[in-house]
Amino acid sequence: MIKCSQCGHDNEPIFRYCIKCGHELKVDKQTIKVEASQTPGFYVYPIRKDGKVQDPLPLQEGVNIIGANETSQVRLQDDRWVENKHAEINVAGDKAFISDLNTTFGTYVRIRREQQLTGGDEIRIGRGLFRLDLPWSRLTSGPDNTVWLGTQESESDVFGRLLRIGPGDTVIQAFLLRGKSVVIGRKQGDILLSNDMVVSGKHAEIVPVDENNCLLRDLGSLNGSYYRIRDSHPLGDGDYFLVGGHLMLFREMKG
């Protein structure tokens, strides 16, 4: 956990600002530099749960395994959400790609501007884990004639639902997605997460592309928006990604 120097609250390492008081966390005040003496190539900076940035781990050409196994190139210990072989970064010349190795809890990458998503994709905004339910189909009523998240209004502009996921993969909240854009924020938007201090005033938006796809756009939020990767995803200098409870920074050292 990262302890806030302002109020003393413990925050998960994914957060860049304290979820209690909003103060900038120590990890963001550290300047992470690639030393000139380092060999040109790609490096991963693990960020410890106490907020300290660890020494860079060089990535070799080819496959680099991230996991709990002692043979992993990037070893992450004492995390029940990290599997023995959890993810891999494949380095091919001047390119690098990250892939999840079919794990239970997945691997998440912070989006830079926007990311196309489809039904079943999962995202992390603030402290919440959400899943997209696309395409839209009207829900049928239950034995008591109630419809979960039903509406008497016109559904002509509804394109899906955003489901908030809780422990045990249970759905604990659901929101209709409708119109040309759905804004998510703490103070402004169509979906308000007012009790989550990690969420920015206007944090992100979901824009429909067609009945099966949409775009997730980050609106310049402080703590970012993350999505769970399904396939190989390219990494660029300065990208953040999550493996279990570990936040990591990807950097490139050019010759």
Side-chain angles (χ1 to χ4, degrees):
M1 306 296 280
I2 304 175
K3 185 177 290 295
C4 176
S5 60
Q6 184 75 14
C7 70
H9 184 77
D10 288 326
N11 298 266
E12 294 181 20
I14 181 179
F15 302 136
R16 303 176 69 182
Y17 290 79
C18 179
I19 64 174
K20 184 176 181 180
C21 71
H23 186 70
E24 187 178 10
L25 297 175
K26 182 179 179 180
V27 65
D28 281 306
K29 293 182 177 179
Q30 298 180 7
T31 302
I32 304 173
K33 297 181 179 179
V34 178
E35 300 295 338
S37 60
Q38 289 179 352
T39 303
F42 297 117
Y43 295 81
V44 167
Y45 288 78
I47 300 174
R48 295 189 343 193
K49 291 185 180 298
D50 62 3
K52 294 183 179 179
V53 179
Q54 294 180 281
D55 292 335
L57 303 174
L59 300 176
Q60 64 187 15
E61 182 76 12
V63 175
N64 299 264
I65 299 297
I66 303 172
N69 196 301
E70 62 182 11
T71 61
S72 300
Q73 281 73 35
V74 180
R75 190 182 184 192
L76 305 176
Q77 299 175 273
D78 303 321
D79 189 333
R80 64 188 181 93
W81 291 287
V82 175
E83 300 185 16
N84 285 334
K85 291 185 176 182
H86 194 106
E88 67 179 27
I89 297 178
N90 196 323
V91 175
D94 61 350
K95 306 292 183 183
F97 300 85
I98 187 169
S99 303
D100 183 78
L101 298 178
N102 196 30
T103 60
T104 300
F105 296 105
T107 301
Y108 293 79
V109 174
R110 180 172 179 169
I111 68 172
R112 286 186 177 262
R113 295 184 62 185
E114 64 181 31
Q115 177 66 41
Q116 182 163 314
L117 303 175
T118 189
D121 279 342
E122 295 180 354
I123 61 177
R124 293 187 66 171
I125 293 178
R127 302 175 69 181
L129 173 63
F130 301 88
R131 181 180 299 138
L132 283 165
D133 182 17
L134 302 172
W136 165 253
S137 59
R138 178 163 174 75
L139 305 174
T140 57
S141 61
D144 57 355
N145 291 323
T146 60
V147 177
W148 188 43
L149 202 68
T151 176
Q152 297 298 318
E153 302 175 4
S154 170
E155 298 178 4
S156 60
D157 63 343
V158 175
F159 61 90
R161 294 187 302 164
L162 186 64
L163 309 177
R164 185 161 191 166
I165 307 302
D169 202 42
T170 58
V171 177
I172 59 176
Q173 202 170 10
F175 306 92
L176 282 180
L177 302 175
R178 63 194 317 156
K180 296 181 179 180
S181 170
V182 177
V183 174
I184 303 169
R186 183 164 54 89
K187 295 182 178 179
Q188 303 177 58
D190 307 289
I191 297 176
L192 294 178
L193 305 175
S194 56
N195 295 324
D196 191 337
M197 293 296 295
V198 180
V199 177
S200 296
K202 288 180 67 175
H203 193 105
E205 69 174 342
I206 299 174
V207 179
V209 175
D210 54 42
E211 66 175 9
N212 295 306
N213 299 279
C214 66
L215 293 176
L216 174 65
R217 291 176 178 157
D218 188 84
L219 300 177
S221 67
L222 296 177
N223 290 301
S225 305
Y226 289 75
Y227 88 102
R228 182 172 180 170
I229 59 174
R230 290 179 183 254
D231 304 308
S232 181
H233 181 88
L235 286 174
D237 183 47
D239 277 343
Y240 285 91
F241 62 93
L242 280 165
V243 176
H246 293 263
L247 178 63
M248 306 184 126
L249 174 65
F250 177 83
R251 295 300 307 267
E252 178 181 5
M253 173 61 184
K254 295 183 179 180

